[in-house]
Amino acid sequence: MQSLFRIAFGLAIFTITYNVIEGLVSTFFGYEDESLALFGFGVDSFIEVISGIGIVHMITRIWRNPESQRTRFETTALRITGIAFYLLVIGLSLTVIHNLWTGQQPETTFWGIVISTLSILVMWALYWSKRVVGRKLDSEAILADAECTMACISMSVVLLVSSVLYETLGIPYIDTIGAIGIIWYSWREGRECFEKARAGKTCCSCRSCGEKK
């Protein structure tokens, strides 16, 4: 049992570390290549770090006391995450309008292809690892965290598709459409963060998250 909690803790720490690196690389190349979808994806990675900190705290709490209730720290992390998602939605929406008005197109989406492909592979491995650990521990909270990782995979697929279509076919505004996809996911996750905060459920920003009381 203790070894499984150590694995769960390690997976959560790895998720945070990966998101920090992914955020730095994505925002850098998104800015350099003028790819709004990639830049928005990078900012989302930083927001996931905030959520990840709440997950680490949650796992540590359950590890020490499986019957414990969610703490104020986790609730605060959830609300901050929700606010950050909404700010991302506003910022990306304004930039989308600007790009449509000016006809702004990225120089290349090559790095969007590379980063999104790597993200899908890494997040898929994390998803299955978290599910295995969650099932063995019979932990709804850890299984919920796995489902949040699946939500990240969906966002990576949006970036991959838009990046491939632009890089190979040069479809106009496809990068902006990809950014709109990031906006939709960010709005949904932000909304669900506040719903979970009000409902007193586990610190996670996806629809299937919940922790048994």
Side-chain angles (χ1 to χ4, degrees):
M1 185 70 73
Q2 294 298 311
S3 62
L4 288 173
F5 272 114
R6 290 191 184 93
I7 293 173
F9 182 83
L11 290 172
I13 292 296
F14 178 83
T15 302
I16 291 175
T17 304
Y18 180 82
N19 276 319
V20 169
I21 297 173
E22 181 179 76
L24 290 171
V25 175
S26 297
T27 52
F28 174 79
F29 283 109
Y31 179 80
E32 287 291 311
D33 298 336
E34 299 182 346
S35 170
L36 182 58
L38 180 56
F39 185 84
F41 181 80
V43 176
D44 175 84
S45 297
F46 287 130
I47 298 174
E48 295 294 346
V49 170
I50 303 172
S51 177
I53 292 172
I55 296 296
V56 168
H57 187 277
M58 178 193 69
I59 291 174
T60 303
R61 169 177 59 79
I62 298 174
W63 187 356
R64 294 173 177 172
N65 182 8
E67 303 301 323
S68 62
Q69 300 297 310
R70 194 180 67 185
T71 66
R72 181 176 297 180
F73 179 88
E74 292 168 44
T75 302
T76 301
L78 192 56
R79 288 172 177 160
I80 292 174
T81 303
I83 292 172
F85 275 126
Y86 282 152
L87 290 175
L88 175 59
V89 167
I90 294 171
L92 284 182
S93 297
L94 292 174
T95 311
V96 162
I97 294 172
H98 174 268
N99 285 1
L100 291 174
W101 180 263
T102 62
Q104 177 69 44
Q105 301 290 335
E107 295 181 5
T108 176
T109 56
F110 170 78
W111 285 107
I113 297 173
V114 174
I115 293 169
S116 58
T117 300
L118 180 61
S119 180
I120 291 170
L121 295 174
V122 172
M123 290 300 165
W124 189 262
L126 282 171
Y127 168 75
W128 282 108
S129 298
K130 290 175 181 179
R131 281 188 61 84
V132 169
V133 173
R135 285 173 176 173
K136 288 182 178 179
L137 287 173
D138 192 25
S139 171
E140 289 292 328
I142 295 175
L143 287 173
D145 182 32
E147 294 304 320
C148 288
T149 303
M150 179 56 73
C152 296
I153 294 175
S154 299
M155 198 173 294
S156 299
V157 170
V158 170
L159 175 62
L160 177 61
V161 171
S162 64
S163 297
V164 168
L165 289 177
Y166 185 81
E167 192 68 17
T168 58
L169 302 178
I171 299 176
Y173 300 110
I174 193 66
D175 181 73
T176 302
I177 294 173
I180 293 174
I182 302 294
I183 289 171
W184 184 82
Y185 274 107
S186 298
W187 174 81
R188 191 187 71 170
E189 292 192 53
R191 181 194 64 190
E192 291 173 357
C193 278
F194 285 106
E195 288 178 354
K196 299 305 182 291
R198 288 192 297 267
K201 295 181 180 180
T202 191
C203 183
C204 186
S205 56
C206 59
R207 187 176 303 279
S208 58
C209 295
E211 184 176 350
K212 292 180 179 178
K213 298 294 185 182

